[in-house]
Amino acid sequence: MVSKRRLSKSEDNESLTEDASKTRKQPLSKKTKKSHIANEVEENDSIFVKLLKISGIILKTGESQNQLAVDQIAFQKRLFQTLRRHPSYPKIIEEFVSGLESYIEDEDSFRNCLLSCERLQDEEASMGTSYSKSLIKLLLGIDILQPAIIKTLFEKLPEYFFENKNSDEINIPRLIVSQLKWLDRVVDGKDLTTKIMQLISIAPENLQHDIITSLPEILGDSQHADVGKELSDLLIENTSLTVPILDVLSSLRLDPNFLLKVRQLVMDKLSSIRLEDLPVIIKFILHSITAMDALEVISELREKLDLQHCVLPSRLQASQVKSKSKGRASHSDQSQTDYSASLLAILHMRLSFAPGYMATKQELRSCKFFSGR
C-alpha cells in the first residue's frame, strides 16, 4: 500500500529546505538583485504577473527558470493574503486565473511554470540546497486557487496528447500529471477523481497508463473506494489496461468484498492473458487471500491457468519463430520455464505472508500448480 501522506525522497529534501528557510531570512545580495532583472516578464496590466511579483516570484522568459525570491511557504502565504484581502475578492481569483491561462498559452512559459523555480540566494545562503517547487505546484498549495488551477491543467492537457516530448526532451503530459502528486491537501477530492477518470477515458493509451499508476500518489484515502469502482468498470471496457489497473488496485484501501469481486472477474479472463502480464495479475489475485481461502484460490488458479496456452510475450514469440526456423526449440521452452519459475516464486512469497498459512515450494508443487514440475 502506498500511503498518500508518505513523502518521497525528493519531498523529504524539500521539507528540510523549507524548514531551514523558516529559521533565517535570506536578503538578496546586490549581485543577485542585478542578475534577476534579465529576461524578466513585463507587468503591463496583468494582475497575474503583478501579484506574483509582490508575493515573491519573478516570471522569466525563454529558457530561464522562474525565480523565487522568498521562502516557498512565505510566497504562498503572501499570495493568499493578497488575494483574500483584495477589494474585489472573490472576483480577483477569476482575474488571476484568467491571467495565468493567457500567460501559459505560450509553450515556453507553460513549460517554465511546470518546472521548478530558481531560488534567489545571497552568498551566505549559497551552501544550502536551492531546490524548490514549480509555480503551478505552489499555486496548487493555495486552497482558494487549487480548484481553478486543476481545472486549467485538465483543459490544457489534451493539447499535448500526441506530443510526448518537446524540443527539450521534456514530456509535458507527464509533467502536468506530476503537479498533482503529493499535494498536502486536496480541496475537492470527489471533483478531482471525476476529472481524472474523464481524462483517462479520452487520453491515448501511454498517458492512460501514466495517469492510472499515479493515482495512489494523487488521491487521498477517502477517494479510494470511488476510484476503485471506476477502475473496475474500466477493467471490463479496456483489457489493455489490465496490468496498471490491477497494480493500482493492490495499492488502494478497498473493501475486501469488492476486491473479491474484481478477483473473480480477473480469474475468468486468465486464459486470454499474456504470459508477461501474469506476475502482476497473480500478485493481485493473491492480494487479499486468507488462511481460509488460500488453497481454494490456488486450486482455481491451477484449473483455469494453463501456461501452455497463455499468449506469449512478443519477444518470446519472435524468439520461438527464430528458433524453429533454425531447428532450435529449446530456447523458447526454457524462456517459458523461466516465466513459470517466476510465477512460482511470486506464489511462494505471497502465500508466505498469508495469516496461518506458511506455504513452501514443496506444498505448491504438491498441488501440481504447474504442469510438468
Side-chain angles (χ1 to χ4, degrees):
M1 168 67 198
V2 178
S3 173
K4 171 70 169 64
R5 297 299 169 218
R6 184 180 301 156
L7 295 179
S8 64
K9 185 176 180 180
S10 62
E11 290 287 313
D12 285 337
N13 291 336
E14 180 182 309
S15 297
L16 292 174
T17 302
E18 293 175 357
D19 290 340
S21 62
K22 291 178 186 177
T23 64
R24 66 177 185 272
K25 293 184 179 180
Q26 300 176 355
L28 299 179
S29 65
K30 294 181 179 180
K31 180 179 179 181
T32 306
K33 287 180 179 179
K34 291 179 181 178
S35 64
H36 75 66
I37 296 176
N39 300 324
E40 183 176 335
V41 174
E42 295 182 6
E43 291 185 18
N44 297 323
D45 296 323
S46 172
I47 192 70
F48 167 71
V49 178
K50 288 179 180 178
L51 294 188
L52 286 182
K53 190 170 184 179
I54 290 172
S55 302
I57 278 189
I58 303 162
L59 296 176
K60 308 294 285 187
T61 60
E63 297 182 359
S64 301
Q65 290 175 276
N66 293 328
Q67 295 179 327
L68 181 62
V70 297
D71 177 78
Q72 297 177 104
I73 295 177
F75 162 76
Q76 291 174 319
K77 184 177 181 180
R78 286 184 189 180
L79 182 56
F80 169 78
Q81 292 176 341
T82 301
L83 291 168
R84 192 67 182 81
R85 296 170 181 173
H86 198 278
S88 63
Y89 180 84
K91 186 179 179 182
I92 187 64
I93 300 294
E94 184 179 334
E95 293 180 31
F96 181 86
V97 175
S98 178
L100 168 65
E101 291 172 347
S102 297
Y103 181 73
I104 62 176
E105 286 179 3
D106 176 75
E107 186 171 340
D108 287 339
S109 297
F110 186 39
R111 178 204 60 205
N112 286 349
C113 290
L114 295 172
L115 296 174
S116 61
C117 296
E118 176 189 5
R119 285 283 299 276
L120 293 180
Q121 297 176 316
D122 60 12
E123 289 81 356
E124 295 178 0
S126 62
M127 296 302 292
T129 178
S130 60
Y131 173 79
S132 62
K133 298 176 181 178
S134 68
L135 172 60
I136 293 295
K137 189 88 167 181
L138 289 168
L139 296 180
L140 285 169
I142 302 174
D143 285 0
I144 58 176
L145 288 175
Q146 187 186 98
I149 301 298
I150 288 176
K151 180 175 180 290
T152 297
L153 289 177
F154 277 92
E155 290 175 349
K156 192 75 177 173
L157 213 159
E159 298 178 18
Y160 298 89
F161 271 177
F162 303 102
E163 297 179 23
N164 291 331
K165 295 180 180 178
N166 67 3
S167 58
D168 296 326
E169 295 298 308
I170 294 175
N171 189 311
I172 296 296
R174 187 173 296 172
L175 198 54
I176 294 174
V177 173
S178 71
Q179 306 299 306
L180 301 171
K181 293 182 180 181
W182 306 113
L183 294 177
D184 292 331
R185 189 173 108 83
V186 176
V187 175
D188 191 342
K190 203 170 193 64
D191 181 65
L192 178 57
T193 301
T194 300
K195 283 183 167 62
I196 289 176
M197 297 311 301
Q198 289 174 345
L199 182 64
I200 290 174
S201 68
I202 62 172
E205 187 172 325
N206 63 322
L207 184 56
Q208 287 178 320
H209 189 287
D210 288 341
I211 298 172
I212 291 171
T213 54
S214 298
L215 287 174
E217 300 165 322
I218 295 175
L219 300 174
D221 291 354
S222 62
Q223 300 306 315
H224 285 190
D226 290 339
V227 79
K229 176 62 171 62
E230 295 282 357
L231 289 176
S232 68
D233 292 340
L234 184 59
L235 183 64
I236 299 173
E237 300 169 7
N238 192 342
T239 56
S240 66
L241 295 173
T242 297
V243 169
I245 289 176
L246 294 185
D247 197 26
V248 167
L249 288 178
S250 298
S251 302
L252 301 179
R253 293 185 182 277
L254 299 171
D255 180 73
N257 292 327
F258 170 77
L259 286 175
L260 184 60
K261 291 179 182 179
V262 178
R263 186 175 78 189
Q264 194 56 51
L265 175 66
V266 175
M267 294 280 272
D268 293 338
K269 294 184 176 183
L270 279 177
S271 59
S272 61
I273 295 298
R274 295 181 304 174
L275 187 58
E276 63 185 350
D277 294 340
L278 278 177
V280 171
I281 292 170
I282 290 183
K283 176 187 172 185
F284 170 79
I285 290 174
L286 300 179
H287 175 64
S288 59
I289 65 169
T290 64
M292 300 294 293
D293 62 7
L295 289 175
E296 180 183 348
V297 171
I298 293 177
S299 298
E300 189 173 358
L301 278 172
R302 175 63 186 90
E303 179 183 345
K304 294 185 176 182
L305 184 60
D306 184 357
L307 296 180
Q308 300 288 340
H309 296 91
C310 283
V311 180
L312 286 172
S314 56
R315 63 180 181 275
L316 286 187
Q317 290 180 11
S319 174
Q320 192 175 54
V321 171
K322 184 176 180 181
S323 296
K324 287 182 178 179
S325 67
K326 294 183 178 181
R328 298 197 308 267
S330 59
H331 178 71
S332 59
D333 291 341
Q334 181 61 45
S335 298
Q336 185 150 342
T337 300
D338 291 342
Y339 267 85
S340 299
S342 297
L343 294 177
L344 183 64
I346 291 172
L347 283 167
H348 173 56
M349 180 178 65
R350 184 64 188 89
L351 290 173
S352 294
F353 292 97
Y357 185 85
M358 296 301 293
T360 65
K361 289 184 179 180
Q362 288 72 26
E363 287 174 314
L364 289 175
R365 284 170 178 152
S366 70
C367 293
K368 297 181 180 178
F369 188 85
F370 294 117
S371 58
R373 293 189 65 83

